[in-house]
Amino acid sequence: MSLTSTTSQPVLRTAIVGTGYIADFHARAIAKVAGVELVAVCDRNLSLADALATQWKVPSFASVEEMLANQKLDALHVLTPPDSHHAVAEQALRSGVHVFLEKPMCVSTAECDDLLAIAEQGGRTVGVNHSLLFEGAFARLRDHIRAGDLGPLDHITINCFIELALIRFGPFTNWMLREPQNALLEIGPHPISALMDLVGTLDEIEVKADRDLILPGGARVYPRWRIRTASGRTTADVNIDVGPGFQQRSIAVRGLAGTAWVDLDANTCVIDRKTPAGIDFDRRKRSVSQAAQIREQSGTTVKDYVLGKAKLSERGGPFSNSIQDSVAAFYAGLLGQSELDSRIRGAFGKTVIETCEQICTLASLKGPVTRPNVTATADLKPDVLVLGATGFIGRKLIQQLLEKGHTVRAAARGPSLELEELGSDRLEIMRADMRSPDDVRGMLAGIDHVFHLAATGSKTWDQFCESEIEPTRRLARACIEAGVKRLIYTSTIDSYYAGGGA
């Protein structure tokens, strides 16, 4: 730990590896913790690392090894895909760096055990961001239960109904879809950690996973999980459904003295208990009380959001606040300001994964299926090129082009299970990157018409210029040189920036 003598100066130097959607939430949370400074950002995609690094005015790196060699770090936030958590965290721990992992902690109990052993040997701390446990509505429920407001708990029902768009739209090579248990290992830690935080270790578990689907490439996924459990005298049902439907994340608790209803999406926790009034007046008083609780809590939620957006408050929306509070708890433990919060301890994260593995075993999941490969003939001469072919629109476009008798070349930067699933001998799949002049020349050979649907995850106008506009300009020039008859550009750039002077 890099301690300084001046309290106004940072005492902990931290970094982020993995610059996906959640990275900005972690960066903002770090900035709000006194005594902690973000000093570096890392991602294998250096352009994404550069974007976040520029925003926070810190250096960027393309590898963890390079970052650890060039930066003196006290802590590292690991925000990479779950299957890389162990490798990245192990590197950090062996370099004497504390780690804070996004859930799931790892993809197996064995990996969790290994990290905890390395951390103990080196005197380092492992934290896991179970952010749901820090959401305002859940935190209020937790406080009520610990205060005994509901009495001894009888039953808990946790619903996690939220569509996983990957199942419908891909990319089907995402880690969550590679094996049938992966979706549960990714999504399950939310409701399972919530249940175990409330009742402790689960003594009994029954599982039913169904509605399985076969995805492009033959992988199998189970959208619906029904889990029945017991812990002592308390029974509980956990229902997970990632198929299409109305979103609901809720927790219902029945105690001997009252009930609680938590709507995680609305950020409300409503307590219902009997009053001394007669039955008719009791019903009204309870209804009025519940309405008042919803009104007050919903008002606070929107107030926090508005003031946060206006930069008049350190608080923001419920999700942002949950990460802010979880990160603050992690550093409070590192700085010795309090014991490490039980919700983020590595040992708890390991128990959650152990329970999720048990659930997967009890579900008796079926494996993937083998699909026959249909490949293009050697003398194929495509006349249409589709860039951004693995996206939802790209796949539908290719289907229509094939149905109309065209011979198509589909270009993609990564694996293309989605395209292979189309199974046509008139489809040529080419691994290529439109940022490479050589790749572009190869893609355009013999092509008459080009459909450009490719897009990046750029977050700023400068990134759009570098990653989308300039490559498209170079593509247009290359099309002219190659004698392409028509370039069809499908883009949403104007919706990102419609101002003057661009």
Side-chain angles (χ1 to χ4, degrees):
M1 185 180 300
S2 305
L3 296 175
T4 64
S5 59
T6 307
T7 57
S8 62
Q9 292 180 322
V11 296
L12 284 178
R13 293 168 55 85
T14 193
I16 289 174
V17 55
T19 57
Y21 166 77
I22 206 168
D24 197 51
F25 289 95
H26 278 257
R28 292 200 302 268
I30 291 168
K32 290 179 171 65
V33 182
V36 180
E37 180 185 25
L38 179 65
V39 298
V41 169
C42 176
D43 196 292
R44 287 187 302 177
N45 186 329
L46 190 56
S47 64
L48 294 180
D50 288 342
L52 188 64
T54 299
Q55 180 182 349
W56 293 96
K57 298 180 175 58
V58 298
S60 58
F61 299 90
S63 73
V64 176
E65 294 88 349
E66 183 186 7
M67 182 173 65
L68 291 172
N70 288 275
Q71 293 288 319
K72 179 173 176 55
L73 298 179
D74 297 301
L76 179 66
H77 289 230
V78 181
L79 316 181
T80 56
D83 56 335
S84 65
H85 282 191
H86 176 270
V88 174
E90 180 183 14
Q91 284 182 281
L93 290 169
R94 293 195 185 281
S95 297
V97 176
H98 305 285
V99 295
F100 188 59
L101 295 139
E102 261 301 325
K103 67 87 205 150
M105 178 177 174
C106 290
V107 297
S108 71
T109 304
E111 288 187 349
C112 295
D113 280 332
D114 190 49
L115 289 187
L116 293 175
I118 296 169
E120 183 177 10
Q121 183 180 15
R124 301 295 90 181
T125 296
V126 174
V128 183
N129 182 36
H130 293 119
S131 60
L132 184 148
L133 309 189
F134 289 83
E135 290 189 23
F138 181 84
R140 289 190 288 275
L141 171 67
R142 192 173 189 263
D143 290 343
H144 282 296
I145 290 175
R146 279 162 171 68
D149 295 340
L150 305 181
L153 302 186
D154 179 57
H155 187 80
I156 298 174
T157 300
I158 301 179
N159 292 328
C160 181
F161 301 148
I162 179 167
E163 182 179 5
L164 181 61
L166 288 172
I167 294 176
R168 283 208 286 171
F169 306 122
F172 300 109
T173 53
N174 186 284
W175 175 83
M176 270 197 285
L177 305 182
R178 290 178 202 162
E179 299 290 341
Q181 70 272 17
N182 287 5
L184 190 280
L185 288 171
E186 170 69 40
I187 297 165
H190 278 310
I192 297 303
S193 65
L195 178 59
M196 296 182 70
D197 182 62
L198 297 178
V199 303
T201 303
L202 305 181
D203 304 321
E204 303 173 20
I205 302 176
E206 298 177 14
V207 183
K208 174 70 174 178
D210 59 9
R211 295 183 177 175
D212 49 316
L213 302 170
I214 304 302
L215 302 177
R220 188 188 303 268
V221 66
Y222 287 82
R224 186 170 69 175
W225 297 70
R226 289 169 285 169
I227 306 162
R228 303 186 67 184
T229 73
S231 177
R233 70 177 306 280
T234 306
T235 58
D237 294 326
V238 176
N239 302 305
I240 300 172
D241 196 326
V242 296
F246 190 82
Q247 178 167 313
Q248 181 194 85
R249 297 186 307 132
S250 63
I251 303 174
V253 181
R254 178 180 185 246
L256 297 186
T259 65
W261 170 259
V262 174
D263 185 332
L264 291 164
D265 293 314
N267 197 32
T268 56
C269 173
V270 177
I271 304 300
D272 183 22
R273 298 197 302 172
K274 283 189 173 293
T275 70
I279 184 169
D280 294 308
F281 289 101
D282 172 71
R283 281 195 290 253
R284 183 182 186 281
K285 290 177 69 110
R286 287 162 56 196
S287 296
V288 170
S289 171
Q290 292 173 56
Q293 292 176 64
I294 293 174
R295 183 171 58 250
E296 178 184 1
Q297 293 174 34
S298 62
T300 300
T301 298
V302 74
K303 178 183 175 183
D304 284 347
Y305 173 77
V306 171
L307 292 179
K309 281 293 184 182
K311 302 189 184 304
L312 298 175
S313 169
E314 293 292 314
R315 307 300 284 172
F319 181 66
S320 177
N321 289 343
S322 71
I323 295 182
Q324 180 180 332
D325 292 343
S326 178
V327 168
F330 175 67
Y331 286 110
L334 291 191
L335 293 167
Q337 298 166 351
S338 66
E339 290 290 329
L340 189 66
D341 194 295
S342 61
R343 291 169 285 185
I344 58 174
R345 289 176 187 164
F348 179 64
K350 174 241 180 167
T351 304
V352 170
I353 295 304
E354 189 174 34
T355 304
C356 287
E357 280 192 314
Q358 185 180 358
I359 290 169
C360 291
T361 299
L362 292 171
S364 300
L365 305 175
K366 299 176 183 178
V369 300
T370 302
R371 294 284 182 86
N373 289 326
V374 179
T375 58
T377 57
D379 59 348
L380 194 68
K381 295 181 179 180
D383 61 337
V384 178
L385 169 67
V386 178
L387 298 168
T390 57
F392 175 73
I393 297 175
R395 297 199 308 274
K396 293 297 183 183
L397 172 62
I398 291 172
Q399 283 181 315
Q400 292 189 23
L401 290 170
L402 293 172
E403 289 170 2
K404 292 181 181 297
H406 290 282
T407 302
V408 180
R409 176 178 295 150
R413 286 181 303 213
S416 50
L417 295 177
E418 303 92 331
L419 302 179
E420 293 169 11
E421 188 74 7
L422 295 176
S424 173
D425 59 1
R426 288 184 289 105
L427 174 62
E428 178 187 83
I429 302 172
M430 175 181 286
R431 290 288 293 274
D433 188 334
M434 64 178 291
R435 294 171 297 184
S436 165
D438 290 338
D439 282 3
V440 170
R441 283 191 290 271
M443 288 189 290
L444 294 176
I447 295 296
D448 292 327
H449 297 86
V450 176
F451 288 88
H452 176 17
L453 312 175
T456 67
S458 302
K459 298 179 181 179
T460 68
W461 178 246
D462 288 340
Q463 290 174 42
F464 283 118
C465 289
E466 178 184 352
S467 301
E468 298 196 27
I469 295 178
E470 288 308 316
T472 300
R473 196 193 310 275
R474 292 193 295 270
L475 173 66
R477 292 189 182 121
C479 285
I480 294 173
E481 294 172 1
V484 172
K485 295 177 181 178
R486 191 175 186 188
L487 168 63
I488 300 95
Y489 182 26
T490 303
S491 167
T492 52
I493 279 182
D494 189 61
S495 68
Y496 297 127
Y497 183 82

